[in-house]
Amino acid sequence: MAAISNDNHGLRLAVRYLVLLLVALVFLLPLLFMVMSSLKPDNQLLNDTSSLRAFLPVGDISLENYAGAFRRAPIGLFVFNSVMVTTITVLASLFLCSLGAFSFTFVRWRGNAVVLSIVLATLIIPFETIAIPLLLFVSRLPWIGLDGFSWGWLNTYRVQIIPWIADALTIFLFVQYFKDLPRELIEAARAEGASWWQIYRRVVMPLSGPVIATAAILKALKMYNEQYLWPLIVVQDEAHRPIMVGLGYFFQLNVPWGEVMAYLSMITVPVLVFYLVLQRAFIASIASTGVKG
């Protein structure tokens, strides 16, 4: 009986790994096709699509498509814009959203629960429904910069950053995490005369590493991958385009497929590396904050 039980366990394990392998292939094969295609000239790329050669580094392999993509469009500038906008937005969002969540969780003030409910309700509002009103709003906003006073935020970095700093999901993550922190710590700090700012900075935030990692990763992926519609309608000049809008511009140039694959590889691989490096922290923080999907 013990031998039969061991055989069944081994069979179930083999089936499980086989299923996992098939699922992994479903996700990996398109990426492998993209990277391999970026290394081949167009005639070979099109011929290989009907066979397994499309997924293998065979034939005339070179980096010429990457060089051609850089000659055809300012890809370095697009990447710089995306990285800068993403970095500033994530840092500002972590600070302001955690501060707001701290107020909702620990500070007693009238209307606290109502305001939090309104903030969370914005999660169900599609961005497409507010895009045009938001566009009209930011196009008339004043700004004081190094070059003096001006009206309108269009064709700037700030119009891609400021509207996205505060969001309901990040506030929700921090609120959920803060609720599980021991209240005794807050009460002891208050009893010793600490201000709310000191409690936020010295007590709460040093204990919030997991939720900070979760919020930073989710926000960074959203800003880098999904920010297309808003920059498309508020940025017309090439100098401020992020990489996703640059992709649309790149397609309009009627470039060979090999260069398109090279461009796609260059904007995809950094995101994968970012995720793989932070994978352990990401999974651990998702589990600790109870976020699914």
Side-chain angles (χ1 to χ4, degrees):
M1 292 296 292
I4 294 176
S5 177
N6 288 336
D7 290 344
N8 288 338
H9 177 71
L11 182 61
R12 285 198 300 270
L13 199 60
V15 171
R16 184 179 302 173
Y17 279 115
L18 180 61
V19 172
L20 291 176
L21 179 62
L22 292 176
V23 173
L25 285 176
V26 169
F27 289 97
L28 287 178
L29 284 180
L31 295 174
L32 188 61
F33 172 78
M34 178 184 67
V35 175
M36 292 300 109
S37 298
S38 71
L39 302 173
K40 302 174 183 177
D42 257 29
N43 56 349
Q44 183 187 341
L45 185 159
L46 296 175
N47 290 332
D48 288 352
T49 53
S50 59
S51 67
L52 288 177
R53 290 170 59 88
F55 303 100
L56 301 174
V58 295
D60 188 11
I61 299 298
S62 72
L63 296 176
E64 180 55 32
N65 287 328
Y66 289 87
F70 272 101
R71 287 194 297 267
R72 200 176 296 271
I75 297 176
L77 178 62
F78 295 159
V79 173
F80 170 79
N81 290 340
S82 282
V83 172
M84 185 191 68
V85 168
T86 299
T87 303
I88 295 175
T89 307
V90 169
L91 294 177
S93 179
L94 290 177
F95 174 66
L96 290 180
C97 291
S98 64
L99 203 58
F102 178 87
S103 172
F104 285 127
T105 309
F106 299 113
V107 183
R108 299 294 181 187
W109 47 279
R110 182 173 296 180
N112 181 318
V114 175
V115 175
L116 179 59
S117 299
I118 294 173
V119 170
L120 296 183
T122 61
L123 280 169
I124 64 174
I125 299 176
F127 171 72
E128 289 76 7
T129 61
I130 63 171
I132 300 304
L134 186 59
L135 170 64
L136 295 175
F137 180 67
V138 298
S139 66
R140 297 168 183 172
L141 284 177
W143 182 260
I144 299 178
L146 297 177
D147 52 350
F149 183 84
S150 61
W151 289 93
W153 289 11
L154 301 183
N155 292 318
T156 61
Y157 290 121
R158 59 181 176 271
V159 76
Q160 303 177 65
I161 296 173
I162 295 177
W164 303 101
I165 290 177
D167 69 281
L169 177 60
T170 307
I171 293 175
F172 173 74
L173 291 174
F174 277 105
V175 167
Q176 289 299 105
Y177 188 84
F178 289 166
K179 284 181 178 177
D180 292 334
L181 292 179
R183 288 280 178 171
E184 293 78 8
L185 289 175
I186 311 301
E187 293 169 0
R190 291 292 291 173
E192 293 179 1
S195 64
W196 285 119
W197 169 249
Q198 289 173 324
I199 295 174
Y200 164 81
R201 187 168 60 89
R202 296 181 179 177
V203 178
V204 174
M205 293 311 289
L207 298 174
S208 304
V211 70
I212 291 174
T214 301
I217 293 171
L218 293 178
K219 190 76 176 183
L221 293 178
K222 180 179 177 62
M223 290 300 299
Y224 188 86
N225 287 335
E226 302 175 15
Q227 283 289 53
Y228 178 74
L229 177 60
W230 180 245
L232 184 66
I233 61 179
V234 299
V235 174
Q236 281 77 46
D237 67 325
E238 191 173 286
H240 295 91
R241 283 177 180 154
I243 196 163
M244 290 303 169
V245 178
L247 177 62
Y249 166 75
F250 198 71
F251 268 108
Q252 294 173 5
L253 299 178
N254 194 25
V255 295
W257 282 109
E259 294 186 15
V260 171
M261 294 298 176
Y263 189 101
L264 295 175
S265 298
M266 284 188 284
I267 65 176
T268 304
V269 171
V271 178
L272 292 177
V273 172
F274 174 75
Y275 174 76
L276 291 175
V277 169
L278 298 176
Q279 183 183 22
R280 188 181 298 274
F282 181 67
I283 294 175
S285 56
I286 285 289
S288 65
T289 53
V291 177
K292 306 293 189 297

